[in-house]
Amino acid sequence: RRGKMAKSTQLIDNEVFRAFATYTAIVLLKMMLMSLVTAYFRITRKAFVNPEDTDAFGKGESAKKYLRTDPDVERARRGHLNDLENIVPFVGIGLLYALSGPELSTALLHFRLFTGARILHTFAYLIPLPQPGRGLSWAVGYSVTFSMAYKVLKTAWLL
Amino acid sequence: RRGKMAKSTQLIDNEVFRAFATYTAIVLLKMMLMSLVTAYFRITRKAFVNPEDTDAFGKGESAKKYLRTDPDVERARRGHLNDLENIVPFVGIGLLYALSGPELSTALLHFRLFTGARILHTFAYLIPLPQPGRGLSWAVGYSVTFSMAYKVLKTAWLL
Amino acid sequence: RRGKMAKSTQLIDNEVFRAFATYTAIVLLKMMLMSLVTAYFRITRKAFVNPEDTDAFGKGESAKKYLRTDPDVERARRGHLNDLENIVPFVGIGLLYALSGPELSTALLHFRLFTGARILHTFAYLIPLPQPGRGLSWAVGYSVTFSMAYKVLKTAWLL
C-alpha cells in the first residue's frame, strides 16, 4: 500500500509538475465555466437550438419562437471554441514541457502568462473590449505554448 | 531493455492509473464514434458541406442540392462538440487526479460516474430524450470533473 | 536538486515517450497553425464575425459589410474542428499507449502514420483535393488511434 502510494504520487511531488497541475486545473475549470455562461445566455435570452429544450416554455408552436440564435449566446460559444483550440495544445504540450526538466521559475513564468492571458481573453471576448485587446491576449497564450513546444522538441527530439 | 520496460510501465502498473487509462480510452473512443454517427447521417440524409464530397452523386448543378444542413446531422455534430467540451477537461484533470494519490475506490467512483453519464448524454442527445434527461447527464459528468479538480488543487497547489 | 531533475526527466528519458513527445508537439503545432490560416483568410477575404474586429475598416455602417461568412474561412474552420476531434483522442490515448510499454518500432509506426495522415488531411481540406483524398487520410489517423486504444485497453484493463 505504502509503496503504491509513493509510486503514484512521485510526479505530483515534483514542483514543476505541481505548478503544471495547478495552472492546468485552473484553465480547464475556466474553460468549463464557458458552458455555464452559454447556458445563462440561452436561458435569459430564451435562445435554444434543440426543440426538446424549449418544452419548459410551452409545447408546440408557442415554444418554436425560442429556437433561434442570439448574439450573446453565439459570442459565448465562440469564446468556448477558442478556449478549446488554445487550451488543448497548452495542456498537451505543457505536460510534456513539465516532464522535460525546465527550471521552476521558467515554468512558472510560462504557466502564469498563459493562464493570465486566457482569463483576459475571456473578458475581452465577453464584454467585449475593443481590439487589439482580444487579439493580444490570444497572441500571448499562443506564444507561450509555442515556446514550451520548442523546449519539448529540443529535449525529446526522436522522429 | 528490461530496465527500460520496467521504467515505461511503472505508471501503468499503478491500479488507479490503470483505471484512469481504461475509462479514458472508453470515453475517447465513444467521442470518436460521433464522427461515424455524423458521417452516417450525412450519407443517409445526403447532406454535405464540402462541394468535393457530393461528387459521388453527380457533377455540377445536379449535386449542389446535397450541399445543405440536416437536423440529424446538426444534432450529431452538437453532441460531438459537447463531448469535446466535457471530455477534454475530464482527461486533463483526470490524469492529474490519478497522479494525486486518490483511493482506488474513490477514483473508480469518479471514473464510472463520468463514463456512464457521458454515454447516457449521447443517447439523450441522439434519440432525443425529453429534458431534463440530457441536462442531468451533462451535470453529473460536469460535477465529477469539478470534484477531481478540487482534489488536484488541494494536493498540488503551487501558484 | 539533482534528485529532482532526475525524477522529472525520467519519463522523457524513455525512448517511446520521447517519440510520443516529438510527434505530439508536431501535431499540436500543426493544429495551432489552423488559427493562423483562419486569420489569414479572415483578413484577406475581409470576412469577420465580431463587430469589434471590423473597426480597422471604418466605424459603423461602412464596416458592417465585413461581418459575413466566406467559403475559405469556413473551410479552414472546419479543418481546425476536425483536427480537434481527431488530435485530442490521439494525444490522450497516445499518452496512455506510450506508457503501456510498446516496442519502439511499433510505437514509431503508429506516431508516424498518424502525423503523416493528419498533415495530408490538412492539405486535402485546404486545397481541396478530390475525394477520397481527405476521407482516406482521415481514416488512417482514426485507425491508428483505434489501434493504440486496443493496446491500452489490453494492457491496463481495470473497470
Side-chain angles (χ1 to χ4, degrees):
Chain A
R1 162 129 200 86
R2 192 130 265 283
K4 199 199 304 172
M5 287 294 289
K7 206 190 292 176
S8 72
T9 54
Q10 68 186 3
L11 260 175
I12 216 85
D13 285 344
N14 176 276
E15 282 191 315
V16 169
F17 196 81
R18 280 177 55 204
F20 170 71
T22 305
Y23 286 98
T24 291
I26 290 170
V27 290
L28 287 176
L29 286 171
K30 192 226 75 60
M31 185 171 92
M32 288 171 69
L33 268 184
M34 299 308 287
S35 298
L36 298 185
V37 174
T38 302
Y40 170 79
F41 283 130
R42 282 206 184 282
I43 291 165
T44 56
R45 270 62 168 168
K46 292 196 173 125
F48 298 90
V49 65
N50 296 298
E52 67 268 27
D53 298 353
T54 61
D55 286 353
F57 304 104
K59 289 272 180 190
E61 291 306 313
S62 65
K64 263 195 186 162
K65 62 173 180 285
Y66 302 125
L67 292 178
R68 56 188 190 83
T69 57
D70 171 89
D72 290 324
V73 170
E74 296 310 306
R75 188 172 277 279
R77 293 182 64 221
R78 289 197 298 276
H80 201 165
L81 186 58
N82 196 283
D83 269 354
L84 267 173
E85 292 170 357
N86 289 278
I87 291 176
V88 162
F90 170 80
V91 173
I93 290 171
L95 172 69
L96 305 170
Y97 171 77
L99 297 172
S100 73
E103 291 292 327
L104 177 61
S105 57
T106 316
L108 278 172
L109 182 67
H110 282 80
F111 302 156
R112 284 168 183 162
L113 267 175
F114 183 87
T115 305
R118 292 309 303 182
I119 291 172
L120 274 178
H121 184 273
T122 301
F123 281 106
Y125 221 143
L126 291 180
I127 293 179
L129 296 181
Q131 288 285 25
R134 197 181 86 238
L136 280 183
S137 58
W138 174 85
V140 170
Y142 197 86
S143 308
V144 167
T145 307
F146 220 87
S147 165
M148 296 193 305
Y150 174 76
K151 172 76 163 76
V152 168
L153 288 175
K154 215 179 55 170
T155 311
W157 191 261
L158 194 159
L159 265 191
Chain B
R1 159 131 198 88
R2 192 131 265 281
K4 199 199 303 171
M5 287 294 287
K7 206 189 293 176
S8 72
T9 54
Q10 69 188 4
L11 260 177
I12 216 86
D13 286 344
N14 176 276
E15 283 192 314
V16 169
F17 196 82
R18 281 177 55 204
F20 171 71
T22 305
Y23 286 98
T24 291
I26 289 171
V27 289
L28 287 175
L29 287 172
K30 191 224 78 59
M31 185 171 90
M32 288 170 70
L33 269 184
M34 298 309 287
S35 298
L36 298 186
V37 173
T38 302
Y40 169 80
F41 282 129
R42 282 206 185 283
I43 291 165
T44 55
R45 269 63 169 168
K46 292 196 173 125
F48 298 91
V49 64
N50 296 298
E52 67 268 26
D53 299 352
T54 60
D55 285 354
F57 303 104
K59 289 272 179 190
E61 291 307 312
S62 64
K64 263 194 186 162
K65 63 174 179 284
Y66 302 125
L67 293 177
R68 56 188 189 85
T69 58
D70 171 89
D72 291 324
V73 170
E74 296 308 307
R75 187 172 278 279
R77 293 182 64 222
R78 289 197 298 276
H80 201 165
L81 186 57
N82 195 282
D83 269 355
L84 267 173
E85 292 170 357
N86 289 278
I87 291 174
V88 162
F90 170 80
V91 173
I93 290 172
L95 172 70
L96 304 170
Y97 171 78
L99 298 172
S100 72
E103 291 291 328
L104 178 60
S105 57
T106 316
L108 279 171
L109 183 67
H110 281 81
F111 302 157
R112 284 169 183 162
L113 267 175
F114 183 87
T115 305
R118 292 311 301 181
I119 292 172
L120 274 178
H121 184 272
T122 301
F123 281 106
Y125 221 143
L126 291 180
I127 292 178
L129 295 181
Q131 287 286 25
R134 196 182 88 240
L136 280 182
S137 59
W138 173 84
V140 169
Y142 197 85
S143 307
V144 167
T145 307
F146 220 87
S147 164
M148 296 193 304
Y150 174 76
K151 171 76 162 79
V152 167
L153 289 175
K154 215 179 56 170
T155 311
W157 191 262
L158 195 159
L159 265 190
Chain C
R1 159 130 201 89
R2 192 131 265 282
K4 198 199 304 171
M5 287 294 288
K7 206 189 292 174
S8 72
T9 54
Q10 68 186 4
L11 260 176
I12 216 84
D13 286 343
N14 175 276
E15 283 191 315
V16 169
F17 196 82
R18 281 177 54 205
F20 171 71
T22 305
Y23 286 98
T24 291
I26 289 170
V27 289
L28 286 176
L29 286 171
K30 191 225 76 60
M31 185 171 91
M32 288 171 70
L33 269 184
M34 299 308 287
S35 298
L36 299 185
V37 174
T38 301
Y40 170 79
F41 282 130
R42 282 206 184 281
I43 291 165
T44 55
R45 269 62 169 169
K46 293 197 172 122
F48 299 91
V49 64
N50 295 300
E52 67 268 27
D53 299 353
T54 61
D55 286 353
F57 303 105
K59 290 271 180 190
E61 291 307 312
S62 64
K64 263 194 186 162
K65 63 174 178 284
Y66 302 125
L67 292 178
R68 57 188 188 84
T69 58
D70 171 90
D72 290 325
V73 171
E74 296 309 307
R75 188 172 278 280
R77 293 183 64 221
R78 289 196 298 276
H80 201 166
L81 186 58
N82 195 282
D83 269 355
L84 267 173
E85 293 170 355
N86 289 278
I87 291 175
V88 163
F90 171 80
V91 173
I93 290 171
L95 172 68
L96 304 170
Y97 171 77
L99 298 172
S100 73
E103 291 291 329
L104 177 61
S105 56
T106 316
L108 279 171
L109 182 67
H110 281 81
F111 302 156
R112 284 168 182 162
L113 267 174
F114 183 86
T115 305
R118 291 310 303 181
I119 291 171
L120 274 178
H121 184 271
T122 300
F123 282 106
Y125 221 144
L126 292 181
I127 292 177
L129 295 182
Q131 287 285 24
R134 196 182 86 239
L136 280 182
S137 59
W138 174 85
V140 169
Y142 197 85
S143 307
V144 167
T145 307
F146 220 87
S147 164
M148 295 194 305
Y150 174 77
K151 171 76 162 77
V152 168
L153 288 175
K154 215 178 54 171
T155 311
W157 190 261
L158 194 160
L159 265 190

